């Protein structure tokens, strides 16, 4: 079983009433929490057009930081002006540019879209001598190239996408079980890494299924389905799943059901989204089966809040009460899957945490009320859920969530060179780190922008985004 991390910053458990957050554990001293305005007392939001303009300006501020200091490299360090190779030292894939491509398109930055697409076609090397992380390469690069192709129609982007996916495929086809290896060398095809967590096993069916559709080559979709089936075949009698499987033996290496936390989070997301995007009923049925089990065994309603505990997959025994910020996306997924009341409640629990902090901390323990990670890695999941729930319901609450989240980022994590992660959100001022993660260009501000922009470039009724925020359906090409 996976041990839960010890609380890094134990804080007293308090139960004071905090406006709309009444009954939820304040996860910071009450004075700080009380300083946060309750929704009812907050000033009305600016007009939608104003917010959309503000959000686009901030995205372009970050983009300019990347362009000036790290163009063609994977990621920028916005404080120092340094660069970071995400996949392998000495190898760059222009990750942030690939991540930004469809966001730039939605924000009508057509000259930048052309600049990025030109760079990809000329410089992105799908056969680089680099051992890459398969899951990250799929959701970020394959998904980014697909979304870029769907936005622009440039066949060079689809060609790169296919070449890259062909070179990732040995991670699946070399596996005796169908459970993918975690790493592959793009040049040699050598595979490594035999302990993938569930997110790394399943978070490819959207990209691979869509690529199969676009190319007529079913190998990609077949590999993704084989991987999913391998996991479903190993579910417990309670219909719960563990965390990690062995690629070659097919044995569970960790039998903790930690959904919706990482490292299993998007495994569940891709079941629902795969059913939706690909019309695959089997994926939808698997989503329902597994989600019912998570709701039955892991949902905790406590002091007015809604959280998800960790349990043993075979016996349902309670193992922990850790909640990662990355799990905040689950409110949107539950809503899309039809569990709207639970979805709303879970999002409110995260909103209450945001009442207590300028930006969301990385992890907490809802049992003790302690923060177990005081970092903020510029995470997008809360905004992702706000976007999903706003699209489902149209409720103003989710616009407020998104705008408050945006204000937190702009007020605390903006630096002259762009936006950066934080090492400690509990200090005043926040202790900053020095990195703009690639996903920031794909996700955070895209979700907020789409809520306020009413852009004709996105089909709000049918649009579908990947776990990395890539628009895999619903990009409306410009005339
Ligand atoms: C992103 O890469 C994706 O959202 C992924 O599913 C997990 N989370 C990171 C950003 O936090």
């Amino acid at each position: 079983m996976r041990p839960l991390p010890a609380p890094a910053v134990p804080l007293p458990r308090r139960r004071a009433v905090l406006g709309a957050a009444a009954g939820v554990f304040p996860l910071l001293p009450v004075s700080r929490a009380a300083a946060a305005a309750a929704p009812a007392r907050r000033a009305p939001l600016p007009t939608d057009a104003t917010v959309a303009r503000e959000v686009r300006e901030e995205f372009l501020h970050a983009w300019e930081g990347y362009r000036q200091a790290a163009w063609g490299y994977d990621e920028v360090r916005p404080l120092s002006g340094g660069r970071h190779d995400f996949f392998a030292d000495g190898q760059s894939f222009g990750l942030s540019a690939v991540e930004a491509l469809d966001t730039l398109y939605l924000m009508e930055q057509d000259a930048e879209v052309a600049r990025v697409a030109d760079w990809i076609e000329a410089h992105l090397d799908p056969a680089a001598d680099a051992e890459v992380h398969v899951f990250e390469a799929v959701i970020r690069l394959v998904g980014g190239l697909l979304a870029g192709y769907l936005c622009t129609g440039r066949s060079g982007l689809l060609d790169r996408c296919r070449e890259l996916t062909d070179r990732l495929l040995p991670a699946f086809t070399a596996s005796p079980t169908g459970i993918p290896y975690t790493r592959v060398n793009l040049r040699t095809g050598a595979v490594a890494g035999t302990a993938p967590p569930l997110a790394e096993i399943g978070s490819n069916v959207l990209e691979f299924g869509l690529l199969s559709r676009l190319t007529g080559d079913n190998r990609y979709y077949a590999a993704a389905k084989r991987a999913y089936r391998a996991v479903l075949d190993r579910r417990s009698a309670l219909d719960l799943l563990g965390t990690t499987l062995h690629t070659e033996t097919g044995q569970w290496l960790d039998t903790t059901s930690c959904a919706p936390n990482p490292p299993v989070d998007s495994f569940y997301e891709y079941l629902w989204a795969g059913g939706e995007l690909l019309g695959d009923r089997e994926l939808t049925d698997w989503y329902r089966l597994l989600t019912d089990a998570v709701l039955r065994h892991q949902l905790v309603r406590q002091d007015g809040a809604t959280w998800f505990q960790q349990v043993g997959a075979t016996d349902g025994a309670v193992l922990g009460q850790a909640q990662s910020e990355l799990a905040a996306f689950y409110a949107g997924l539950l809503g899309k899957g039809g569990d709207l009341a639970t979805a709303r409640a879970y999002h409110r629990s995260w909103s209450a945490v945001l009442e207590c902090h300028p930006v969301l901390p990385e992890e907490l323990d809802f049992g003790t009320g302690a923060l177990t990670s005081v970092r903020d890695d510029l995470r997008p999941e809360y905004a992702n859920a706000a976007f999903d729930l706003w699209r489902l319901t149209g409720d103003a609450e989710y616009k407020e969530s998104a705008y408050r989240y945006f204000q937190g980022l702009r007020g605390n994590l903006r630096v002259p060179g762009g936006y950066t992660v934080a090492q400690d959100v509990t200090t005043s001022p926040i202790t900053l780190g020095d990195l703009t993660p690639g996903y920031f260009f794909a996700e955070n501000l895209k979700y907020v922008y789409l809520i306020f922009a009413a852009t004709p470039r996105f089909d709000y009724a049918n649009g579908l985004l990947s776990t990395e925020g890539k628009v895999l359906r619903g990009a409306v090409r410009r005339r």
Side-chain angles (χ1 to χ4, degrees):
M1 299 292 170
R2 208 168 52 115
L4 288 168
V9 182
L11 291 170
R13 180 167 165 152
R14 298 165 197 260
R15 292 169 187 266
V17 171
L18 294 176
V24 175
F25 290 1
L27 297 156
L28 266 186
V30 169
S31 54
R32 278 276 295 282
R41 282 182 272 117
R42 237 179 244 119
L45 301 187
T47 64
D48 285 6
T50 302
V51 177
R53 183 170 39 74
E54 290 175 358
V55 173
R56 187 174 53 223
E57 278 170 9
E58 293 311 303
F59 181 85
L60 294 176
H61 170 70
W63 176 242
E64 195 56 23
Y66 167 73
R67 269 193 53 196
Q68 293 294 330
W71 174 249
Y73 290 86
D74 283 339
E75 294 177 320
V76 64
R77 297 195 183 281
L79 282 184
S80 61
R83 296 122 178 203
H84 175 242
D85 293 329
F86 177 81
F87 289 99
D89 286 346
Q91 293 280 358
S92 284
F93 294 84
L95 172 64
S96 293
V98 178
E99 297 263 34
L101 188 51
D102 67 340
T103 314
L104 289 166
Y105 177 79
L106 294 172
M107 294 185 178
E108 302 184 30
Q109 304 299 305
D110 294 328
E112 294 306 301
V113 170
R115 185 197 301 271
V116 172
D118 289 347
W119 185 91
I120 290 170
E121 289 178 3
H123 299 291
L124 194 149
D125 182 6
D129 187 11
E131 186 181 84
V132 301
H133 198 281
V134 175
F135 160 76
E136 301 289 4
V138 170
I139 66 170
R140 294 163 184 260
L141 295 177
V142 173
L145 293 168
L146 279 171
Y149 168 71
L150 294 171
C151 290
T152 65
R154 286 179 61 152
S155 60
L157 299 177
L158 185 59
D159 293 343
R160 288 297 164 286
C161 180
R162 189 174 189 173
E163 289 163 31
L164 178 62
T165 309
D166 283 341
R167 291 179 175 279
L168 294 169
L169 218 49
F172 295 78
T173 53
S175 164
T177 59
I179 298 162
Y181 291 90
T182 61
R183 301 189 303 279
V184 64
N185 183 297
L186 293 176
R187 179 156 302 170
T188 67
V191 295
T194 54
L198 296 191
E200 299 186 16
I201 299 173
S203 309
N204 46 63
V205 76
L206 294 184
E207 293 82 1
F208 285 8
L210 185 55
L211 186 59
S212 283
R213 283 257 173 96
L214 292 170
T215 61
D217 181 343
N218 202 48
R219 287 178 307 139
Y220 315 112
Y221 189 27
K225 279 300 293 282
R226 181 170 174 242
Y228 256 126
R229 196 179 303 283
V231 178
L232 266 291
D233 285 349
R234 290 163 172 81
R235 69 186 184 274
S236 76
L238 300 179
D239 292 328
L240 290 170
L241 302 172
T243 300
T244 313
L245 279 162
H246 194 287
T247 297
E248 291 166 351
T249 67
Q251 298 294 311
W252 285 107
L253 300 173
D254 180 340
T255 56
T256 307
S257 179
C258 66
N261 285 312
V264 306
D265 40 2
S266 48
F267 177 91
Y268 297 88
E269 183 180 6
Y270 271 37
L271 286 173
W272 179 83
E276 179 71 17
L277 181 70
L278 306 168
D280 185 331
R281 272 303 298 262
E282 193 168 36
L283 294 175
T284 307
D285 291 346
W286 286 341
Y287 171 78
R288 193 66 262 157
L289 177 80
L290 297 176
T291 300
D292 283 346
V294 168
L295 293 173
R296 194 176 312 120
H297 295 283
Q298 295 185 242
L299 177 71
V300 176
R301 298 194 195 277
Q302 177 178 290
D303 300 311
T306 294
W307 303 112
F308 291 87
Q309 63 191 1
Q310 294 82 59
V311 302
T314 48
D315 59 5
V318 177
L319 299 176
Q321 298 182 309
Q323 209 77 168
S324 165
E325 190 282 338
L326 281 86
F329 86 96
Y330 199 50
L333 177 58
L334 284 174
K336 290 184 289 192
D339 298 291
L340 190 55
T342 306
R344 287 180 185 275
Y346 189 50
H347 184 71
R348 278 203 187 135
S349 303
W350 280 109
S351 296
V353 178
L354 191 52
E355 293 280 343
C356 305
H357 302 276
V359 292
L360 283 175
E362 197 76 355
E363 189 183 83
L364 56 91
D365 183 313
F366 64 83
T368 64
L371 300 188
T372 45
S373 170
V374 295
R375 295 184 56 82
D376 178 322
D377 282 323
L378 265 181
R379 296 292 180 186
E381 286 77 12
Y382 177 79
N384 187 349
F387 171 64
D388 287 339
L389 291 172
W390 170 76
R391 268 216 291 169
L392 280 168
T393 67
D395 284 0
E397 175 182 349
Y398 304 115
K399 278 189 164 174
E400 286 195 14
S401 294
Y403 190 63
R404 189 151 36 109
Y405 167 87
F406 169 64
Q407 284 181 304
L409 295 189
R410 185 172 55 176
N412 296 280
L413 303 180
R414 187 188 208 271
V415 294
Y419 274 76
T420 187
V421 298
Q423 290 177 353
D424 190 341
V425 304
T426 67
T427 59
S428 185
I430 283 176
T431 309
L432 298 178
D434 186 16
L435 183 72
T436 313
Y439 53 74
F440 182 78
F441 293 103
E443 297 198 68
N444 310 45
L445 299 184
K446 180 190 282 163
Y447 300 128
V448 184
Y449 181 75
L450 285 175
I451 290 176
F452 290 94
T455 173
R457 293 193 175 195
F458 183 68
D459 176 348
Y460 283 84
N462 296 306
L464 187 141
L465 277 60
S466 74
T467 192
E468 192 75 1
K470 313 296 188 194
V471 180
L472 298 185
R473 187 175 70 192
V476 179
R477 294 232 184 113
R478 76 191 167 109
R479 294 161 207 256

